[in-house]
């Protein structure tokens, strides 16, 4: 099979982790006779440095013409990098938001799984972590506060800033349908997270999710307020299967969910539209403090590449091979610094990639 993939190495540790993900994809391609065709585009700070903007129209078109996009990470140190002296719409993150919107990637899937081998890195008490957990956060990605009108003004010498949180029922319905579809293939439970005790947008969210649920009698639906969900994630993460939520809540809860797995360095994500097209990226950031030092954990990006094979190309067997190679490496005791624990062997980013490739071959 021919796979046309656009890569966005990006900033910080991005280029290192994408290189390792490509290595694993190449190993799978060799084993199963696929033809991977990569085209790189610039985004974030890397694009600002060359083009003065975080994403060009040409880059969007290149991404659009591929079957899928594999991304590393974008952004720099927000206190020291010159990128953050630019107007907000010209900063690295604006490139990421723009590509999500341009490609209509409204459904963001962030699986958070506690690997048996990493149970020691889980910050929760043993009586909680020993139950294990396997949840998927389904985050709405192209609406809400991120894309509402915003402005900063000054009235009578008083500065004022406004951000607006808007959802229409169609935006809610399409993400809810994705959530229920995925739940059907998993443990058949959807926890819809909102702030319906305060926000109108959440009350509409809840109403539309209830409507969608009627078509999925085999899936259990529960509603949870976002503050309670933040608490439940550390109290009893095993209760969750699919967490369905709006953009901002999903941003925050997915970082929390990833941390209870032991490290955000393990968390993959997929951002999908209505077709098979998707953008795949680790849930973590660009970690400028360790960039270029061969210290980054490439596993989240490698698992994102596996999600790409599964969701955009229906190559489940190939994806399983990558997932199993990652599990095997962990079982064999190899760790990057972020997940290091006593008795294990610490390795760098490149070596971790090599070890995973060895187990794919
Ligand atoms: C994420 C990131 C982005 C977001 C930032 C970099 C704009 O935190 O993908 O979770 O808030 O969506
Ligand atoms: Mg985030």
């Amino acid at each position: 099979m021919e796979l046309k993939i656009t890569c966005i190495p990006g900033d910080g540790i991005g280029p290192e982790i994408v290189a390792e993900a490509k290595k694993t994809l190449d190993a799978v391609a060799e084993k199963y006779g696929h033809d991977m065709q990569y085209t790189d585009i610039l985004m974030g700070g890397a694009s600002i440095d060359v083009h003065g903007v975080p994403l060009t129209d040409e880059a969007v078109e290149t991404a659009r013409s591929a079957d899928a996009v594999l991304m590393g990470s974008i952004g720099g140190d927000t206190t020291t990098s010159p990128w953050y002296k630019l107007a907000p719409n010209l900063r690295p993150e604006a490139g990421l938001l723009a590509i999500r919107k341009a490609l209509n990637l409204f459904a963001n899937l962030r699986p958070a799984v506690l690997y048996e081998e990493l149970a020691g890195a889980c910050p929760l008490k043993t009586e909680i972590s020993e139950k294990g957990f396997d949840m998927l956060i389904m985050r709405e990605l192209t609406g809400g506060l991120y894309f509402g009108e915003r402005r900063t003004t000054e009235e009578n010498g008083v500065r004022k800033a406004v951000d607006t949180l808007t959802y229409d029922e169609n935006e809610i319905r399409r993400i809810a349908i994705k959530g229920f579809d995925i739940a059907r293939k998993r443990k058949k439970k959807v926890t819809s997270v909102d702030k319906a005790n305060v926000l109108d947008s959440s009350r509409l969210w809840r109403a539309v999710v209830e409507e969608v649920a009627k078509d999925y009698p085999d899936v259990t639906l529960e509603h949870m307020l976002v503050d309670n969900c933040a608490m439940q994630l550390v109290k009893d993460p095993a209760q969750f299967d699919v967490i369905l939520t709006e953009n901002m809540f999903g941003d925050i809860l997915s970082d929390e969910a990833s941390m209870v797995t032991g490290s955000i360095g393990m968390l993959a994500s997929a951002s999908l539209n209505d077709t098979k097209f998707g953008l795949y990226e680790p849930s973590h950031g660009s970690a400028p403090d360790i960039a270029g030092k061969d210290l980054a954990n490439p596993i989240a990006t490698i698992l994102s590449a596996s999600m790409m094979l599964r969701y955009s190309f229906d190559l489940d067997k190939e994806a399983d091979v990558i997932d199993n190679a990652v599990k095997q490496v962990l079982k064999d005791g190899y760790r990057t610094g972020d997940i290091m624990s006593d008795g294990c062997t610490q390795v760098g980013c490149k070596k971790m990639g090599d070890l995973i490739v060895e187990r794919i071959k």
Side-chain angles (χ1 to χ4, degrees):
M1 182 172 175
E2 190 181 285
L3 291 77
K4 271 177 72 186
I5 302 164
T6 294
C7 293
I8 307 178
D11 309 318
I13 58 172
E16 302 163 59
I17 55 183
V18 167
E20 297 316 306
K22 277 186 183 170
K23 238 158 69 178
T24 47
L25 284 172
D26 288 339
V28 168
E30 202 181 281
K31 184 165 176 165
Y32 293 98
H34 299 302
D35 175 17
M36 306 277 176
Q37 297 177 6
Y38 306 108
T39 311
D40 282 3
I41 59 170
L42 297 175
M43 195 170 94
S47 174
I48 295 172
D49 290 346
V50 176
H51 301 294
V53 290
L55 184 69
T56 61
D57 293 343
E58 295 74 47
V60 172
E61 288 322 308
T62 304
R64 202 194 297 280
S65 68
D67 301 315
V69 180
L70 179 67
M71 184 189 136
S73 51
I74 51 109
D77 187 320
T78 50
T79 50
T80 58
S81 163
W83 299 328
Y84 296 92
K85 300 223 157 52
L86 299 168
N89 63 331
L90 291 177
R91 293 179 193 170
E93 286 72 11
L96 180 57
L97 299 189
I99 202 167
R100 286 173 179 170
K101 196 71 175 178
L103 301 175
N104 197 25
L105 304 170
F106 64 88
N108 182 221
L109 284 62
R110 298 190 165 181
V113 182
L114 183 66
Y115 285 83
E116 229 179 280
E117 295 76 19
L118 294 185
C122 172
L124 303 176
K125 283 188 191 153
T126 318
E127 62 251 44
I128 300 173
S129 64
E130 71 190 3
K131 285 202 264 171
F133 58 82
D134 178 353
M135 70 182 97
L136 185 133
I137 300 192
M138 175 69 81
R139 169 187 175 194
E140 199 292 325
L141 203 60
T142 51
L145 271 176
Y146 277 66
F147 293 95
E149 238 182 85
R150 66 177 100 257
R151 65 184 169 276
T152 306
T153 52
E154 194 169 322
E155 280 168 39
N156 305 324
V158 180
R159 285 171 300 160
K160 183 173 157 187
V162 181
D163 296 283
T164 44
L165 201 182
T166 313
Y167 273 107
D168 71 37
E169 59 177 307
N170 297 327
E171 290 173 300
I172 301 170
R173 192 169 293 111
R174 65 181 183 178
I175 184 78
I177 290 171
K178 286 255 185 203
F180 279 92
D181 281 343
I182 293 255
R184 213 170 229 174
K185 293 192 195 159
R186 295 173 44 99
K187 290 173 281 173
K188 298 190 167 51
K189 181 177 172 190
V190 170
T191 304
S192 175
V193 174
D194 60 39
K195 188 71 185 171
N197 53 348
V198 178
L199 303 176
D200 261 21
S201 55
S202 281
R203 285 187 274 269
L204 179 63
W205 181 278
R206 203 175 267 220
V208 175
V209 169
E210 295 264 353
E211 288 163 22
V212 171
K214 291 202 181 101
D215 293 331
Y216 298 83
D218 51 324
V219 178
T220 307
L221 167 66
E222 68 174 17
H223 300 285
M224 192 177 277
L225 296 173
V226 62
D227 46 353
N228 183 28
C229 183
M231 185 171 77
Q232 295 298 329
L233 276 173
V234 290
K235 194 171 161 233
D236 180 18
Q239 70 182 284
F240 296 111
D241 178 19
V242 173
I243 293 181
L244 172 66
T245 194
E246 65 92 45
N247 204 346
M248 179 79 160
F249 297 158
D251 178 45
I252 299 167
L253 294 176
S254 62
D255 267 28
E256 187 188 359
S258 69
M259 203 52 231
V260 297
T261 70
S263 170
I264 194 164
M266 298 292 298
L267 268 280
S269 92
S271 304
L272 308 174
N273 62 17
D274 262 331
T275 69
K276 284 271 163 202
F277 184 89
L279 181 148
Y280 300 83
E281 56 168 319
S283 296
H284 61 71
S286 60
D289 51 322
I290 58 164
K293 296 183 180 157
D294 195 32
L295 289 173
N297 182 351
I299 292 180
T301 318
I302 290 170
L303 292 175
S304 300
S306 150
M307 285 184 93
M308 177 178 80
L309 296 180
R310 207 181 288 285
Y311 291 107
S312 284
F313 299 103
D314 287 319
L315 295 174
D316 285 325
K317 186 175 59 190
E318 287 81 343
D320 287 343
V321 164
I322 294 182
D323 295 352
N324 289 333
V326 168
K327 276 195 199 118
Q328 193 56 49
V329 160
L330 297 173
K331 215 170 252 152
D332 294 343
Y334 295 104
R335 304 282 188 272
T336 43
D338 56 316
I339 49 174
M340 183 59 191
S341 57
D342 286 350
C344 293
T345 311
Q346 187 162 339
V347 297
C349 181
K350 275 206 192 85
K351 179 76 186 172
M352 182 53 95
D354 290 341
L355 291 163
I356 292 169
V357 164
E358 271 171 29
R359 285 154 183 81
I360 288 172
K361 282 186 171 160

